[in-house]
């Protein structure tokens, strides 16, 4: 599984990084980014939750990669 943050949709609320700090961080511009090229197996459900809870729909998940 891969996860991406669409920069121009993210408002930097920090919810994703708070929920899954292993997978998301906030950059110097206040925008979230994915920390890993592939989501760790034990974080997959949390990453899906982060996607569902992102207030702007900025998180996209590719299940098959
Ligand atoms: S939850 Fe969404 S809007 Fe908030 S920091 Fe993460 S990607 Fe950005």
């Amino acid at each position: 599984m891969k996860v991406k943050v669409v920069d121009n949709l993210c408002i930097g609320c920090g919810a994703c990084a708070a929920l899954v700090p292993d997978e998301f961080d906030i950059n110097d511009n206040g925008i979230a980014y994915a920390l890993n090229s592939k989501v760790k197996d034990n974080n997959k459900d949390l990453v899906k939750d982060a996607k569902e809870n992102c207030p702007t729909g900025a998180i996209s998940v590719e299940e098959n990669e």
Side-chain angles (χ1 to χ4, degrees):
M1 176 191 281
K2 283 187 178 176
V3 64
K4 286 184 197 159
V5 175
V6 180
D7 292 12
N8 60 3
L9 292 179
C10 176
I11 57 171
C13 72
C16 56
L19 185 65
V20 209
D22 273 1
E23 299 289 343
F24 298 100
D25 201 358
I26 305 293
N27 70 20
D28 291 343
N29 296 322
I31 301 299
Y33 65 99
L35 287 168
N36 306 310
S37 55
K38 281 186 108 173
V39 174
K40 295 176 188 170
D41 283 345
N42 57 333
N43 286 334
K44 286 180 176 176
D45 286 344
L46 283 171
V47 166
K48 288 181 197 170
D49 287 349
K51 173 186 157 88
E52 283 175 20
N53 289 313
C54 173
T56 62
I59 297 173
S60 71
V61 170
E62 292 179 38
E63 298 262 8
N64 296 327
E65 296 202 40

